[in-house]
Amino acid sequence: MTITPPALSVFEALESEVRSYCRGWPAVFDRAQGSYMYDEDGHTYLDFFAGAGALNYGHNNPVLKRALLDYIERDGVTHGLDMGTTAKRAFLETFQNTVLRPRDLPYKVMFPGPTGTNAVEAALKLARKVKGREAIVSFTNAFHGMSLGALAVTGNAFKRAGAGIPLVHGTPMPFDNYLDGRVPDFLWFERLLEDQGSGLNQPAAVIVETVQGEGGINVARAEWLRGLADLCKRRDMLLIVDDIQMGCGRTGPFFSFEEAGITPDIVTLSKSIGGYGLPMSLALFRPELDIWEPGEHNGTFRGNNPAFVTAAAALDTYWADGQMEKQTLARGEQVEQALREICEEHVRLGAQYRGRGLVWGLEFTDPSRASAVCARAFELGLLVETSGPQSEVVKLLPPLTVSPEELDEGLRTLARAVRETA
């Protein structure tokens, strides 16, 4: 289809230059339903972005929308700080019965604020409070948020530079396969911990993504994650898993660390935990770590009751019987097969693919090619974005509710975009 970029006068005249996604997708979107978005000119777009992972259940999911409308129509509490409300109680009971108990996870639940970076800040603060230490270890190509504490454990140089001040008390270590398998896992990390002259203060915690989304869809092996959990236990460091983008079923299981068989000390969730795209985040931690004083960490919008309503509805609808995990893994096989065929067709481009569940990346040797593919995909009616330190990876993040037919449509469009930009 032919798309004429709209006259974005008010956006260009009034909105900050910091805006980004709208530059790659020059359309004014008006409606969205399921796996599709529609602009005001009537063009249809298949959405393989899903609100950067905030819309695992698709746009305006009818079950979640009905629960939300019913709650609003009866004048349910909208803003509740950390007061007890019927909506919060229903969410906590559903989360406990549907997610925590079946996985034998004894976590306490904290509502730190509405965004992922709020949850990360709370996790880092709690780890430091519990251990009485300042240092946090993170990993190469990590992304944990845009506030100062989260930026200090983020790898991307461009995002770190935006802080404008030194980012301290964070030390990066090599992520799984960062050194192409030439060095045994954690050799450098262990050596620094053992050496009194290394300059690495004893860390309070290690924070990790099991799949690095913004970092380029870098997938940690289960054995690497188990090794990391063992290292943390032996060296008296808390293990924090940032499951903000990869949790809520993105990799198959509800939590992305389940495949490795580990139990982190602290877990952060956001994005799709609200179910409907409503802001909400959680910090989960072992009960013995709950040493907060009342009000020691708070936030005005940590009680987003409409999000509690849609979150509970999402858990009841999609996580009560185990079918969502099976479906996601099956859809993932469909994506993997398509990406394999694209790479085989374009061997000369040096394309590689990797992923788990319904998060996949298609990497090109020439970083500019990924951006060209995304631009052409948009022209063809498919929304995909880039990731990686040089934006060299095309990132696929469709809703978990995508149908096989919709998935096939998007993958065929992607293949065409690669072909036409080769």
Side-chain angles (χ1 to χ4, degrees), residues 137-152:
V137 166
S138 57
F139 291 93
T140 50
N141 289 313
F143 179 79
H144 296 289
M146 298 298 283
S147 50
L148 292 180
L151 275 178

Side-chain angles (χ1 to χ4, degrees), residues 12 14 40 43 116 143 158 168 183 200 220 256 274 305 419 421:
E12 294 168 346
L14 195 59
E40 63 180 357
H43 298 118
F143 179 79
F158 174 70
V168 296
V183 177
L200 175 64
S256 69
N305 282 257
R419 195 175 301 118
T421 56

Side-chain angles (χ1 to χ4, degrees), residues 151-376:
L151 275 178
V153 291
T154 287
N156 187 283
F158 174 70
K159 292 180 172 63
R160 288 175 62 89
I165 63 171
L167 296 170
V168 296
H169 307 306
T171 301
M173 292 291 166
F175 191 70
D176 189 15
N177 204 41
Y178 184 74
L179 298 172
D180 300 321
R182 293 173 294 177
V183 177
D185 295 341
F186 311 115
L187 177 66
W188 175 241
F189 194 173
E190 292 247 35
R191 182 72 180 111
L192 292 182
L193 291 171
E194 293 169 355
D195 185 1
Q196 295 300 305
S198 70
L200 175 64
N201 294 333
Q202 174 66 18
V206 175
I207 185 167
V208 68
E209 305 154 273
T210 66
V211 180
Q212 295 181 326
E214 298 303 309
I217 318 300
N218 305 313
V219 183
R221 293 167 296 138
E223 54 266 36
W224 186 86
L225 292 169
R226 287 192 289 269
L228 178 61
D230 178 67
L231 175 60
C232 288
K233 185 176 181 179
R234 288 188 287 108
R235 295 291 182 173
D236 188 32
M237 302 177 294
L238 296 179
L239 176 60
I240 304 169
V241 168
D242 180 341
D243 235 4
I244 288 166
Q245 189 168 83
M246 298 304 156
C248 301
R250 176 53 58 181
T251 66
F254 186 86
F255 294 108
S256 69
F257 55 80
E258 292 182 50
E259 181 188 44
I262 62 174
T263 302
D265 299 295
I266 304 175
V267 180
T268 59
L269 286 175
S270 186
K271 292 195 182 281
S272 277
I273 188 59
Y276 200 73
L278 298 176
M280 177 178 171
S281 75
L282 306 177
L284 312 175
F285 37 81
R286 292 191 287 109
E288 59 268 31
L289 304 181
D290 192 12
I291 63 172
W292 293 114
E293 295 291 334
E296 189 175 5
H297 187 94
N298 56 26
T300 303
F301 293 101
R302 65 193 184 278
N304 187 352
N305 282 257
F308 294 155
V309 171
T310 52
L315 294 177
D316 274 332
T317 304
Y318 294 104
W319 294 101
D321 59 6
Q323 290 306 305
M324 175 58 78
E325 178 178 349
K326 295 177 183 177
Q327 175 179 299
T328 298
L329 295 175
R331 302 283 192 274
E333 292 176 359
Q334 187 178 347
V335 177
E336 184 175 13
Q337 175 62 30
L339 294 183
R340 181 184 300 115
E341 292 173 0
I342 290 173
C343 290
E344 289 173 352
E345 181 181 348
H346 302 282
V347 174
R348 65 182 181 82
L349 299 180
Q352 298 181 352
Y353 66 92
R354 52 185 177 266
R356 278 178 57 195
L358 273 176
V359 53
W360 290 85
L362 181 62
E363 181 180 10
F364 295 94
T365 304
D366 177 2
S368 66
R369 190 167 301 282
S371 296
V373 168
C374 290
R376 181 56 182 148

